[in-house]
Amino acid sequence: MKADEVVEYIAYYGTSGSDETNGIYRHSLSNAPLSLGDPELIGQYNKAGFMRLNRKGDLLYAIETGPEGRGSVNAFSRNRATGDLALLSGKAAAGGGLCHLNLDRSERWLLSTSYNDAVVTVFPLLADGAIGEHTQSFQLEGKGSRVNPERQEASHAHSIYTDPMNRYVFVCDLGMDRIYVYAFDAETGVLKPAPVPYVETVAGAGPRHLAFHGNGHWIYAINELNGTVTLYDWDSEAGKLAPRQSIETLPSDFAGSSTTAEILVHPTNRFLYGSNRGHDSLVVYSINEADGTLELVQRVSSGGGHPRNFILDESGQLLAVANRDSNNIVYFDVDGETGMLTEQKTVENIPVCTCVRLARREC
């Protein structure tokens, strides 16, 4: 994609509320210059607060909270011209309300985590993208690190990812201050503890989400509770993570309460982005191409309250962030040379918005 190429996108906004205004919103837009249509609610779903698109862009997966707080996942086929979603299937997870889901690299398996009861569930995906009955589930067991007694009283599985070679799976356990590592069989979908089953974070860090550098050897974790990003070296042969650098997400003079949320590597692998909730900012780092270490470039207001999730478009020229507490989505231009963000436009009245996804419109 060229720097000045005009591209039409369809955005999807997931919300974490439960009334009739909540669910999945669709929104048409184009870049260069940014032009926004009118968002519309296209499906009412209870706490549909996290979504994932497949690489082709014709399938979308979203969490939902079912009866009695049971976690569930929905699969939708996506019309790439109109953005219409058609429900393919919905399946219950093994645990309570889900907080995160991911596709493995082959896109044959859907992996999910529930936060409160720390349950991991693995679903097979059928040929049409529909979700089959889950084939594996297990609960992370631990009494919590208790450094933060309110948030770390037990295990809390916050996110799940496969490594770039699709041989291992990582689960961030905020409650235990651990990133668990599992050997992954991409043929059967089975997870087993790796020879080095986890890496301990700094006590009280609360690992939340991960981001992967394109070289496959550097992994970045954003730690929710102590406001840091940690660089890990990933040894794919040994299945081992080794921490090498930690850097603050907040300014040294900030005295309020804040927690981190999302983390992403820019498509060029030159920059890293994170979000602070409380400080209500996005933080930008440059990535040293020689050793992967980070250096602060910018902190900028997220344009709202409690920036939960954000996404970069395929070119890395556009960033959209979901601000949960101010019920808005804010779009930023991304400078390709510096990585710096410039606020452009705001989409209001997206209630309790916690997730945003962008897909190219195919005419």
Side-chain angles (χ1 to χ4, degrees), residues 63-271:
I63 66 173
E64 185 178 13
T65 300
E68 300 180 352
R70 183 78 178 271
S72 64
V73 289
N74 292 318
F76 302 89
S77 63
R78 174 181 172 270
N79 184 308
R80 289 183 289 176
T82 66
D84 289 343
L85 300 178
L87 182 65
L88 292 173
S89 65
K91 296 294 180 183
L98 299 179
C99 61
H100 196 251
L101 55 80
N102 230 323
L103 294 163
D104 83 307
R105 305 288 172 157
S106 72
E107 299 192 339
R108 296 170 54 195
W109 304 95
L110 186 68
L111 316 172
S112 68
T113 55
S114 56
Y115 177 82
N116 286 332
D117 54 6
V119 173
V120 173
T121 308
V122 180
F123 300 89
L125 296 179
L126 309 181
D128 63 352
I131 306 167
E133 296 293 339
H134 75 266
T135 54
Q136 185 183 16
S137 67
F138 57 88
Q139 186 173 35
L140 305 185
E141 297 183 358
K143 296 181 179 180
S145 70
R146 300 180 182 269
V147 177
N148 183 321
E150 295 182 355
R151 299 292 309 279
Q152 297 185 304
E153 82 296 347
S155 285
H156 292 300
H158 215 313
S159 60
I160 188 165
Y161 306 82
T162 55
D163 81 310
M165 298 296 291
N166 215 36
R167 295 172 54 195
Y168 292 91
V169 164
F170 308 106
V171 177
C172 290
D173 188 334
L174 180 146
M176 289 292 289
D177 284 327
R178 292 175 176 178
I179 301 174
Y180 285 96
V181 185
Y182 298 91
F184 176 56
D185 187 328
E187 294 302 316
T188 64
V190 172
L191 305 181
K192 295 180 180 179
V196 182
Y198 58 83
V199 61
E200 297 270 10
T201 70
V202 170
R208 178 183 172 96
H209 281 185
L210 302 180
F212 299 80
H213 191 276
N215 67 8
H217 302 302
W218 301 332
I219 297 176
Y220 301 90
I222 195 162
N223 301 302
E224 178 170 339
L225 302 182
N226 75 350
T228 61
V229 173
T230 302
L231 161 64
Y232 291 88
D233 289 318
W234 168 239
D235 185 337
S236 59
E237 294 303 316
K240 183 178 179 181
L241 287 166
R244 185 153 49 84
Q245 181 201 21
S246 282
I247 189 168
E248 301 287 335
T249 65
L250 294 167
S252 59
D253 60 353
F254 179 72
S257 176
S258 189
T259 57
T260 66
E262 189 61 273
I263 184 170
L264 289 177
V265 171
H266 191 270
T268 63
N269 293 302
R270 296 176 57 199
F271 311 107

Side-chain angles (χ1 to χ4, degrees), residues 49-52 208-209 211 222 260-266 271-277 281-285 302 306-313 318-323 329-332 334 341 353-358:
F50 194 83
M51 303 174 292
R52 185 69 69 188
R208 178 183 172 96
H209 281 185
I222 195 162
T260 66
E262 189 61 273
I263 184 170
L264 289 177
V265 171
H266 191 270
F271 311 107
L272 183 83
Y273 299 85
S275 59
N276 290 307
R277 302 168 296 172
S281 62
L282 299 173
V283 58
V284 185
Y285 306 97
S302 68
H306 197 97
R308 183 74 162 266
N309 167 259
F310 60 86
I311 196 71
L312 289 155
D313 78 330
L318 187 67
L319 183 147
V321 59
N323 291 301
I329 308 290
V330 180
Y331 283 85
F332 293 81
V334 182
L341 303 175
C353 50
T354 52
C355 189
V356 55
R357 292 289 177 256
L358 289 174

